[in-house]
Amino acid sequence: MNLKNSNIIGHKRNTGIPLDLSLIEDVAVNRSAIERRAATLTTRRSVKKEWQAAWLLKAISCMDLTTLAGDDTSERVKRLCAKAKQPVRQDILEELGMAKENITVAAVCVYPTMVATAVKALEGTNIPVASVATGFPSGLMPLELRLAEIKYAVKAGAKEIDIVITREHVLTQNWQALYDEIAAFREAVDEAHLKTILATGELGTLRNAYKASMVAMMAGADFIKTSTGKEKLNATLPVSLVMVRAIKDYLELTGFKIGYKPAGGISTAKDALAWLILIKEELANDWLTKDMFRFGASSLLGDIERQLEHYLTARYSASFRHPVA
Amino acid sequence: MSVREIFKSMEYGPAPETAKIAEAWLANNKKKFDNFIAAKFVKPNSKEYFETINPATGKVLAKVAKANDKDVDKAVKAARLAFAPWASLPGHARAKYLYAIARHIQKHSRLLSVIETLDNGKPIRETRDIDIPLVARHFYYHAGWAQLDDEFADYEALGVVGQIIPWNFPLLMLAWKIAPALAAGNTVVLKPAELTPLSAMLFSQICQEVGLPAGVVNIVNGYGDTGAEIVNHPDINKIAFTGSTEVGRIIRKATAGSGKKISLELGGKSPFIVFEDADIESAIEGVVDAIYFNQGQVCCAGSRLLLQEGIAKEFHKKLKIRMAKLRLGNPLDKAIDIGAIIDPVQLERISGLCEIGKSEGSICWQPELDLPKEGSFFLPTLFENVSPASTVAQEEIFGPVLVSMTFRTPTEAVQLANNTRYGLAASVWTENVNLALDIAPQIKAGIVWVNSTNLFDAASGFGGYRESGFGREGGKEGMFEYLKAVWEKDLKQTKASAKITEAKIFPDSNPEIKIDRTPKIYIAGKQKRPDSGYSYPILNPKGELVAEAALGNRKDIRNAVEAARKSEGWGKATAHNRAQVLYFIAENLSARSNEFKERLLDMTGVSAKQASWEVEKSIERIFYYAAWADKYDGAVHSTPMRNVTLAMLEPFGILAISAPVQNPLLSFISLLMPAIAMANRVIISPSELYPLAVTDLYQVFDTSDLPDGVVNIVTGKQDELADTMAKHDEIAAMWYFGSKQGSKLVERESVGNLKAIWVNNGKDYDFFDNKIGQGKEYLRRATQVKNIWVPYGE
């Protein structure tokens, strides 16, 4: 059964297209102008009061609640899954009139060996488990092992695979190699969704970030994602602007809508709003759903919970008032 | 709306900035403001008050005193009284005041922002993030120049400065005017625009707070007639004006012959050029900042979009998508891009011009945005199918209206960009640094932004070419608008006023026995007979005929300008190359110095010693400007962002010079050499009475590798020729050294193209005195500063 082109996330899944170097050869990405736009996105738009509360809940619903640490244990992952099911205190949701909306995070993101645990912990919910793979975070593992890792995670029940690319292919402009690699990953994930981590903080330039985004989409990525969270420089608004503009270009060219996931360093409610504004302004409201947009975050939720309580009480909240993961 | 609904719709909600504190401030002032004179709020002699309105609601905000002639006079007297003590303060003391003003602006930044938004209708995002921070920055920066007064050691303050500012950036324009004026030691009488007086009133209170000495800053309110009282006041030394080109002309005319220095920052129709290799998405964002910033009510708005043909269709498509995302409405809302148009009259003007655009066949496109029910609002607008001849492509609309045209090649882009009477700013988008730095110098504009637009900073000069005015605001270049050379005050009224009389003009004759030498005029490197066919006698002091000179007329000036126009190569020659030509002129003049000495002896009757001194001094002066040719250069300004801001010195292009009667050789050389050293092409009329020293120079020029058409010489009656020069629209700048009356004539007649004018007001310049007769003042007058902003980063 070929599910590659199935309509499982509400729109036509990206099949990829043959590598077309003309789409990236003369691409123009003006860093200064990009930075100016990024800097004024959040000064041009402001979301307050009930709008802010609603937007922050949206941020939660688009969140890949993540733990990717060397000291992860089964119990730790179970706790995280419990939090994923109930990210916001029930009384807060009730007061917001959202108690019946089934507010959960979008997915739980873990290492491959933790997938089975997470899947079990999330049984009976609609929350998928996402697994990193392909030698996360550096990706410097033999291809067979990376492909095997993907298959392992899929078999364990991961519905989404966050793969990392070989940065060398970008830094040496070896687009064919990058394309082939991602296409192979896409083949390997089968029904699961392929989220392609570009590790933009290690690609050197915004121009490279654009080119890598385009190649990833041509190779069949369902999502493109900024970072592993382990690079020195993770998600930034300027790089996001470049990547979502690539998504826009790819849509125009092929009709495929690609999802976007900034990850790493997004830790405040204010950050979350900034990214939502960016997506709304540069793409469209269509992207403001968990099918098209994700935050990769581990500590963001805590800040959002405090902000939500503040909205309701007009008092600044303390972190210990909200259950930890 | 419920959280649940918003969660589904993901729309923006209202995000209003509170106006409570601003309203309290208005109430505390009883919604009534008087003129600010000598550190006090003074009731107007006129007893009249006018209303200032919030353009977003149409509601009255406050009443403001209307100043009449007596009120203006009172303000000028206060400023005059304050001038000497203020100017004689140590620079450090003035710096402390300016620094304190900057600090207080920051302390009251939000109140100033809200007041500005209420009074002007521009979005709070702009007043908060752009206007007010730039105001504070301007005072900080100029506190620095006050401190560094050693940098202007040979200069001094002008005196009392009259300043008239527009409504589009009320407080920022006030800062641009007041900060440099005060730093240089002047005192000020300023009139805010009648539509937006409130932030200036708050600024007046800040002046009180910081204890600025009484009379240093005086602010009077009123309409155009109040402005006219300032312009025409006899005890004002300089007028600085920002506003429409129309009013700029009135001011130029009104101040002609008054000796007042003026600087004009006027209108524009600035090009926004996008090459096919540009970052298109970023360029589209640039368009938003260029024309939808401040509702397009910006003198340097990028209002003419020039697209390379191949990308035009795609660009329009993407631009429309972007325009549809603009948010228009309550300017106090923090999520609004486009606020209110300043006034119903302006709104009507914008609509009117758009109607003309449609009737001329251009296609008008506007996104479907909600328009507020009250107040003056106009949708962001794009005109397609526009040709350079369309009214909307020529007229400054001063609203959120963009006209789009296409070009095929870089050359055509420049041609279209320069196809305007204005020359304020330009924006150039390309990823190719070779292209960007090739195009930027070719555009006739005072500011060029590469891959960016509407960037401002106190360290960078702002001001226009052509009918966008003259003078710069900001940067070191801006300080000179408020200073004069210390020797200027010692200049005496000239006594040399001898004129040829009509009676003595007679047709070509041949009375001498010697082989005749008929001095002609010199155009395009050739000696030509004057169009008139007349000559006039050159007499020595005894009244004896020395020779006859050609009587040039307006057609000769026209032909001279044509020749100068064609010699564009001079502007592209390297500075080293120009220096070589100047040195060569000196060398060849030196070889024939005896001949020139004899000529001066014969003609002017000076002593032999004086005659040879004049020749020697002339040779020295040529050397002086040859030396400067490759050394008087621009700067890289330290503006606060990642970019290089290149302050390039450019020639005006065609510069006309009217040389004085006395010291015919030296005065001619002293005026001509700095002009051509700085790459201008020149039309010059030499000493009316003693032109022969100059006509002898033709052969010197011919043998010195001076390209044809760089120097064009027309002999004849000074003021008649000057009149034609002043009226010639292709001449970009003019220097006149003659009578007081002639100075007035030239200033008055220059209004056609608002050329930059330098006149001597009938004063004698002693060109033998190096302090007066040469120097950077001449080089500065021969150049205009173009600031090119080049952001970088891969």
Side-chain angles (χ1 to χ4, degrees):
Chain A
M1 184 175 71
N2 185 0
L3 287 170
K4 271 185 197 164
N5 302 330
S6 64
N7 202 357
I8 47 179
I9 49 173
H11 61 86
K12 203 167 67 166
R13 189 178 177 191
N14 181 24
T15 56
I17 60 169
L19 179 64
D20 180 354
L21 291 178
S22 75
L23 298 179
I24 57 169
E25 258 161 8
D26 297 319
V27 58
V29 179
N30 190 281
R31 179 175 154 205
S32 294
I34 296 275
E35 286 174 351
R36 271 197 307 280
R37 168 65 169 154
T40 52
L41 266 167
T42 50
T43 60
R44 280 182 180 275
R45 296 289 179 264
S46 181
V47 186
K48 298 289 175 203
K49 303 201 168 148
E50 52 264 50
W51 281 269
Q52 189 177 95
W55 281 51
L56 289 176
L57 287 171
K58 178 64 74 176
I60 292 172
S61 75
C62 291
M63 192 179 294
D64 281 0
L65 196 60
T66 301
T67 185
L68 293 168
D71 58 359
D72 284 347
T73 61
S74 298
E75 288 309 307
R76 157 74 182 146
V77 169
K78 284 182 201 161
R79 287 209 310 265
L80 193 77
C81 293
K83 184 69 181 173
K85 289 188 264 189
Q86 225 177 344
V88 181
R89 255 172 34 209
Q90 196 58 24
D91 61 311
I92 292 178
L93 288 177
E94 267 162 26
E95 266 198 76
L96 292 171
M98 294 293 285
K100 290 181 187 144
E101 300 301 316
N102 189 26
I103 296 291
T104 69
V105 302
V108 167
C109 182
V110 293
Y111 271 115
T113 51
M114 293 296 167
V115 170
T117 310
V119 168
K120 189 144 189 285
L122 292 169
E123 232 166 47
T125 71
N126 291 326
I127 305 171
V129 174
S131 172
V132 297
T134 70
F136 181 93
S138 73
L140 294 176
M141 264 190 359
L143 183 62
E144 305 81 54
L145 299 184
R146 284 181 280 159
L147 292 170
E149 191 184 13
I150 290 174
K151 284 172 184 153
Y152 170 89
V154 171
K155 200 174 167 200
K159 294 281 187 275
E160 302 175 1
I161 306 293
D162 289 27
I163 61 105
V164 292
I165 62 164
T166 303
R167 278 67 121 183
E168 184 185 7
H169 295 334
V170 178
L171 296 172
T172 58
Q173 312 281 296
N174 191 350
W175 305 116
Q176 186 67 54
L178 182 66
Y179 179 89
D180 292 345
E181 170 180 283
I182 299 170
F185 296 158
R186 168 64 199 271
E187 190 72 33
V189 297
D190 198 18
E191 270 185 73
H193 275 86
L194 184 71
K195 290 146 89 187
T196 305
I197 304 173
L198 303 177
T200 53
E202 291 177 350
L203 300 185
T205 64
L206 292 178
R207 212 179 288 261
N208 276 347
Y210 180 93
K211 290 177 176 178
S213 298
M214 219 35 159
V215 171
M217 291 185 285
M218 287 192 265
D222 295 300
F223 264 73
I224 52 175
K225 173 177 169 185
T226 57
S227 317
T228 64
K230 312 288 186 190
E231 290 87 49
K232 277 186 198 139
L233 184 65
N234 293 297
T236 65
L237 286 176
V239 87
S240 296
L241 201 52
V242 170
M243 291 172 73
V244 302
R245 284 178 178 177
I247 288 174
K248 211 157 45 164
D249 291 344
Y250 188 76
L251 169 67
E252 198 170 310
L253 200 77
T254 65
F256 292 124
K257 289 164 87 174
I258 306 301
Y260 182 64
K261 178 177 174 185
I266 303 168
S267 57
T268 65
K270 206 177 159 197
D271 289 342
L273 293 174
W275 258 278
L276 293 173
I277 289 170
L278 182 148
I279 296 300
K280 183 175 168 69
E281 291 292 319
E282 288 282 326
L283 288 167
N285 276 17
D286 301 9
W287 266 264
L288 294 176
T289 72
K290 65 179 174 169
D291 290 341
M292 299 309 299
F293 180 71
R294 298 287 175 83
F295 284 110
S298 47
S299 59
L300 173 61
L301 182 55
D303 195 55
I304 293 181
E305 289 175 270
R306 286 199 299 276
Q307 291 306 320
L308 288 173
E309 190 172 22
H310 173 250
Y311 163 69
L312 291 171
T313 63
R315 293 150 53 96
Y316 288 107
S317 179
S319 55
F320 59 77
R321 295 170 57 85
H322 304 276
V324 295
Chain B
M1 215 181 282
S2 75
V3 170
R4 198 171 147 270
E5 285 163 331
I6 302 165
F7 184 81
K8 296 229 154 66
S9 72
M10 284 304 281
E11 289 307 320
Y12 293 115
E17 173 76 31
T18 174
K20 264 187 198 155
I21 304 222
E23 277 157 8
W25 177 77
L26 288 170
N28 286 342
N29 286 282
K30 302 190 171 60
K31 298 195 174 187
K32 193 170 172 186
F33 294 90
D34 288 312
N35 294 313
F36 182 68
I37 298 173
K40 289 195 182 69
F41 288 92
V42 183
K43 291 204 181 314
N45 174 277
S46 71
K47 298 198 169 55
E48 287 176 55
Y49 289 81
F50 61 93
E51 290 173 339
T52 183
I53 311 275
N54 179 346
T57 62
K59 293 197 178 99
V60 176
L61 290 165
K63 288 182 172 183
V64 181
K66 186 172 180 302
N68 65 12
D69 54 341
K70 300 220 169 51
D71 298 309
V72 170
D73 189 56
K74 190 185 260 183
V76 174
K77 285 204 170 93
R80 178 58 64 191
L81 199 64
F83 172 61
W86 177 251
S88 58
L89 278 182
H92 178 58
R94 287 201 304 275
K96 285 193 284 185
Y97 283 114
L98 289 169
Y99 181 78
I101 291 173
R103 287 297 225 194
H104 281 247
I105 300 272
Q106 286 184 319
K107 275 187 227 177
H108 300 303
S109 61
R110 194 52 65 93
L111 177 58
L112 283 163
S113 305
V114 175
I115 289 289
E116 199 79 311
T117 287
L118 287 173
D119 207 13
N120 170 282
K122 64 169 72 189
I124 185 75
R125 193 234 2 147
E126 294 180 11
T127 56
R128 181 197 64 199
D129 295 349
I130 299 169
D131 292 57
I132 306 306
L134 282 173
V135 169
R137 162 86 180 132
H138 221 76
F139 280 101
Y140 279 124
Y141 176 83
H142 285 92
W145 281 133
Q147 179 70 43
L148 301 174
D149 56 352
D150 287 357
E151 287 291 304
F152 308 101
D154 300 329
Y155 288 82
E156 60 187 6
L158 301 169
V160 176
V161 180
Q163 305 180 317
I164 300 166
I165 57 171
W167 45 259
N168 58 344
F169 294 89
L171 194 67
L172 184 56
M173 291 301 105
L174 174 147
W176 281 20
K177 294 283 178 290
I178 289 183
L182 263 49
N186 302 278
T187 56
V188 162
V189 175
L190 177 137
K191 185 190 92 65
E194 64 271 21
L195 295 171
T196 54
L198 291 181
S199 55
M201 295 293 94
L202 184 47
F203 179 82
S204 303
Q205 294 177 352
I206 287 175
C207 290
Q208 288 181 322
E209 267 179 22
V210 303
L212 191 71
V216 171
V217 168
N218 305 277
I219 297 179
V220 292
N221 286 294
Y223 290 75
D225 51 346
T226 307
E229 293 297 340
I230 295 174
V231 169
N232 296 319
H233 197 287
D235 200 30
I236 281 181
N237 304 91
K238 178 200 162 93
I239 299 294
F241 172 75
T242 297
S244 70
T245 295
E246 188 190 344
V247 175
R249 284 208 170 87
I250 294 170
I251 291 174
R252 170 75 286 178
K253 224 168 197 167
T255 56
S258 67
K260 285 181 184 130
K261 195 165 170 164
I262 67 172
S263 50
L264 302 174
E265 203 271 90
L266 308 173
K269 190 79 183 175
S270 297
F272 188 103
I273 309 167
V274 187
F275 288 97
E276 59 197 5
D277 70 337
D279 177 348
I280 300 299
E281 294 274 358
S282 290
I284 284 168
E285 208 51 49
V287 169
V288 170
D289 286 331
I291 188 68
Y292 305 124
F293 170 57
N294 200 19
Q295 297 72 248
Q297 303 169 131
V298 184
C299 48
C300 54
S303 51
R304 282 188 301 145
L305 178 61
L306 303 178
L307 299 172
Q308 199 151 13
E309 224 174 272
I311 56 167
K313 214 173 145 194
E314 183 70 14
F315 197 97
H316 285 163
K317 189 173 125 198
K318 289 186 166 171
L319 176 58
K320 287 174 185 174
I321 294 171
R322 178 68 185 95
M323 284 169 72
K325 293 206 168 187
L326 290 169
R327 304 189 79 235
L328 181 143
N330 176 12
L332 274 177
D333 192 306
K334 286 179 268 193
I336 283 295
D337 297 307
I338 300 181
I341 301 292
I342 185 72
D343 189 71
V345 175
Q346 182 63 16
L347 187 66
E348 205 160 298
R349 186 187 136 76
I350 297 168
S351 316
L353 279 161
C354 287
E355 286 312 312
I356 293 174
K358 286 183 219 168
S359 71
E360 288 179 353
S362 296
I363 299 162
C364 177
W365 188 87
Q366 295 174 323
E368 285 172 22
L369 308 178
D370 293 334
L371 275 174
K373 287 182 187 70
E374 52 179 13
S376 303
F377 290 89
F378 197 84
L379 288 171
T381 303
L382 167 69
F383 269 101
E384 295 170 88
N385 201 22
V386 178
S387 69
S390 310
T391 305
V392 286
Q394 292 289 332
E395 291 291 314
E396 182 179 38
I397 297 174
F398 226 64
V401 181
L402 178 69
V403 301
S404 181
M405 290 171 274
T406 60
F407 63 88
R408 294 166 297 175
T409 61
T411 308
E412 194 170 61
V414 170
Q415 188 193 13
L416 282 174
N418 289 339
N419 185 221
T420 169
R421 284 169 289 144
Y422 297 109
L424 191 50
S427 186
V428 178
W429 293 74
T430 169
E431 288 299 290
N432 179 348
V433 68
N434 297 308
L435 183 59
L437 295 183
D438 183 32
I439 298 298
Q442 293 185 63
I443 294 175
K444 300 285 180 206
I447 308 107
V448 179
W449 293 292
V450 174
N451 291 324
S452 54
T453 192
N454 279 341
L455 301 175
F456 309 102
D457 184 57
S460 168
F462 185 95
Y465 283 32
R466 295 183 173 169
E467 290 177 37
S468 291
F470 43 77
R472 294 290 178 269
E473 299 185 286
K476 193 174 188 183
E477 56 262 40
M479 284 297 288
F480 289 103
E481 301 296 330
Y482 290 97
L483 291 163
K484 62 172 194 259
V486 286
W487 45 259
E488 267 190 49
K489 62 173 176 290
D490 300 325
L491 297 174
K492 299 274 183 303
Q493 211 60 40
T494 183
K495 289 182 205 92
S497 59
K499 295 279 165 193
I500 49 174
T501 59
E502 295 292 338
K504 283 184 179 164
I505 297 168
F506 47 87
D508 282 350
S509 63
N510 195 6
E512 297 293 330
I513 308 155
K514 289 188 282 186
I515 294 179
D516 183 56
R517 277 180 69 195
T518 309
K520 299 179 186 167
I521 60 175
Y522 187 68
I523 291 178
K526 295 200 173 56
Q527 299 193 32
K528 299 215 165 121
R529 285 181 201 288
D531 170 81
S532 69
Y534 287 100
S535 294
Y536 70 101
I538 305 304
L539 308 177
N540 66 19
K542 290 178 201 151
E544 297 157 353
L545 183 73
V546 183
E548 284 128 16
L551 188 70
N553 68 9
R554 55 199 306 272
K555 289 193 177 152
D556 297 312
I557 295 292
R558 179 201 62 190
N559 294 342
V561 172
E562 274 310 297
R565 198 171 60 80
K566 286 178 189 147
S567 65
E568 281 166 340
W570 188 245
K572 292 172 193 147
T574 65
H576 170 74
N577 183 226
R578 291 195 302 272
Q580 292 301 301
V581 171
L582 263 64
Y583 282 125
F584 204 10
I585 293 172
E587 186 184 321
N588 288 325
L589 178 57
S590 173
R592 297 169 61 174
S593 57
N594 268 337
E595 186 191 320
F596 278 86
K597 180 182 134 194
E598 292 302 322
R599 194 54 122 169
L600 289 171
L601 273 174
D602 275 1
M603 189 172 52
T604 64
V606 293
S607 69
K609 196 180 157 200
Q610 182 70 15
S612 51
W613 180 223
E614 182 164 348
V615 177
E616 281 314 304
K617 199 73 195 167
S618 297
I619 293 166
E620 180 193 320
R621 191 130 301 154
I622 302 172
F623 255 64
Y624 178 82
Y625 288 112
W628 268 123
D630 57 1
K631 293 173 194 68
Y632 188 70
D633 50 19
V636 176
H637 285 315
S638 299
T639 50
M641 56 176 277
R642 192 184 63 228
N643 87 113
V644 279
T645 308
L646 302 166
M648 277 184 44
L649 301 183
E650 292 192 342
F652 279 96
I654 302 178
L655 192 150
I657 301 173
S658 186
V661 165
Q662 298 300 69
N663 311 121
L665 181 63
L666 181 59
S667 66
F668 177 89
I669 292 291
S670 299
L671 294 171
L672 174 66
M673 289 303 152
I676 62 172
M678 293 295 104
N680 294 285
R681 291 102 73 189
V682 172
I683 321 300
I684 183 165
S685 75
S687 168
E688 176 175 316
L689 293 186
Y690 312 118
L692 302 177
V694 168
T695 57
D696 291 343
L697 277 173
Y698 298 168
Q699 289 177 346
V700 173
F701 291 152
D702 286 343
T703 52
S704 304
D705 294 344
L706 183 72
D708 296 347
V710 173
V711 177
N712 304 279
I713 303 166
V714 181
T715 55
K717 291 159 92 177
Q718 181 176 19
D719 287 359
E720 200 178 297
L721 297 175
D723 181 61
T724 305
M725 290 172 176
K727 285 176 178 157
H728 200 304
D729 287 347
E730 193 119 27
I731 293 174
M734 180 171 175
W735 302 351
Y736 174 89
F737 284 70
S739 64
K740 195 164 188 325
Q741 204 187 347
S743 298
K744 180 174 181 172
L745 166 91
V746 166
E747 288 189 328
R748 193 183 62 223
E749 298 306 332
S750 69
V751 294
N753 66 341
L754 286 165
K755 53 176 69 68
I757 296 288
W758 185 17
V759 298
N760 70 333
N761 286 308
K763 302 271 176 65
D764 259 334
Y765 277 60
D766 180 2
F767 289 102
F768 284 97
D769 182 345
N770 282 351
K771 220 165 57 189
I772 297 171
Q774 68 181 27
K776 285 193 188 167
E777 184 68 13
Y778 292 79
L779 296 163
R780 189 158 28 251
R781 299 276 193 172
T783 50
Q784 46 192 345
V785 184
K786 173 187 278 178
N787 275 283
I788 305 174
W789 295 63
V790 190
Y792 55 82
E794 173 59 47

